[in-house]
Structure formats: structure tokens, C-alpha cells
Amino acid sequence: GQNQPWQIFDSALQKRLNQEKEYRWDIIRGLEQEEFLLYVQFFMDAKTRKIVGGETLARWQHPQQGFLLPGRFVPVFERADMIDLLDFYILDKAAAFLEEICKEQTESFFLSCHFSRKTFAAEDFTERCKEILKRYQFPRERLMLEMTGSASVKETKLLKCNAQAMRE
């Protein structure tokens, strides 16, 4: 049942659990082999019709299953408590992309990079972000960090601290 603390174990659930178990190994290999791709959904200024920015999207070019959308792999990352691996992997790709864009002298292109609520609320969030960002040269105001999902009251203080630290 939906929103129930229990679930009936059937062949469909068994198949999903087996697939998730395989995906966990695939995730590690996929990150190592750079099978996860950064896609950018661009934002256009309606008046000038110029591209002014974008937001990051993750896609997986799985060697056996082909092109996978986030609905197929993000829940597996989350249930395996590995979503931070994807979040920081995409941040690294986004920073590299911004560095290249800025070399082209684009006026004020910005990029919004998404993080799961859990990653954004982690105690080591700012240190891990800074470690990645120090490898790339671009105006920092061109990178926006965005949290997906809603936060619990318990996480609110740490989220605010992390947001402030990254703003600085």
C-alpha cells in the first residue's frame, strides 16, 4: 500500500530489488567510467532571445541499458545512500563546463547546479564543494547551488550554515 509502513513482497518487488542491487555496482563503475553525463537545460531571455544560463541535469549512458533518465537511477542512489557521489560528480562536470564557457567570453552566463537535500545538509558539504571548485577558474557568481526536495526542521540550521558558507 502507498504510504504504508509495510509492503507485500511479490515477484515485481523481488525484480526491483535485484535490479537495484545490480545498479549499485553499476553506479560505482559508471562514475569511474564517466558514464554519467552532464546535460544543461538552457534558459533564454524572452526579450533578447539569447541564452543567459542553464541548469544541470544528470543522464546515464548505461552500457547495457542505454540512455537512462534520472527516474531510473536517482532513487537507487538515494536508497543506497550514495546520492552525494552523483551530486559532487555533477558539480565537478558543471564547474568544468563553466570554465570552458567563460573562456569564450560569454557575458553573464550562469549555471544552476542541483544538490539533494541530504547532500546540501551534510556537515562536509562546503569542504567538498570547495575542494572541487578550487580546480577550476571561472567567476564564482556564475555558479548557483540549488537544493532539491524539502528540508526537515532538524536540517534547517545546517542548510542555512552551508548556504551562507558557500555564498561567502
Side-chain angles (χ1 to χ4, degrees):
Q2 283 191 308
N3 298 323
Q4 298 293 325
W6 52 270
Q7 186 173 2
I8 296 174
F9 189 82
D10 59 11
S11 60
L13 179 58
Q14 179 67 53
K15 183 178 177 181
R16 191 186 91 216
L17 292 173
N18 288 342
Q19 187 176 42
E20 282 189 19
K21 187 176 179 181
E22 286 181 36
Y23 270 3
R24 288 179 187 165
W25 293 111
D26 285 355
I27 283 169
I28 300 299
R29 187 215 61 247
L31 290 168
E32 290 171 355
Q33 299 296 316
E34 297 190 21
E35 295 169 5
F36 290 91
L37 308 172
L38 171 70
Y39 270 56
V40 177
Q41 180 172 302
F42 293 105
F43 298 127
M44 181 186 295
D45 182 311
K47 288 183 183 178
T48 65
R49 300 176 75 73
K50 290 184 180 178
I51 295 173
V52 294
E55 69 176 316
T56 60
L57 305 170
R59 302 295 185 256
W60 189 0
Q61 187 60 53
H62 193 284
Q64 287 82 36
Q65 297 181 28
F67 189 77
L68 301 178
L69 296 174
R72 292 277 305 275
F73 59 86
V74 168
V76 179
F77 270 99
E78 289 172 338
R79 284 191 288 274
D81 199 27
M82 296 166 56
I83 194 64
D84 62 318
L85 297 177
L86 180 62
D87 287 341
F88 290 116
Y89 176 91
I90 293 298
L91 175 62
D92 186 72
K93 298 296 182 190
F97 178 77
L98 266 175
E99 183 177 72
E100 286 301 311
I101 288 288
C102 289
K103 286 179 185 176
E104 301 295 321
Q105 301 300 326
T106 57
E107 291 178 22
S108 61
F109 183 89
F110 68 90
L111 190 60
S112 174
C113 190
H114 298 248
F115 289 90
S116 71
R117 171 198 46 77
K118 186 171 193 250
T119 301
F120 207 103
E123 289 186 22
D124 64 347
F125 176 74
T126 58
E127 292 82 24
R128 290 176 75 182
C129 286
K130 289 175 184 178
E131 186 65 31
I132 291 168
L133 295 176
K134 75 180 183 184
R135 297 193 304 259
Y136 299 98
Q137 300 298 313
F138 62 87
R140 296 303 190 238
E141 65 273 8
R142 298 218 184 159
L143 177 65
M144 297 181 349
L145 305 181
E146 191 174 333
M147 182 187 73
T148 59
S150 58
S152 69
V153 174
K154 178 180 144 190
E155 297 167 321
T156 302
K157 185 176 180 181
L158 192 48
L159 287 168
K160 285 180 181 178
C161 287
N162 284 346
Q164 183 61 38
M166 291 308 297
R167 186 178 299 120
E168 291 169 5

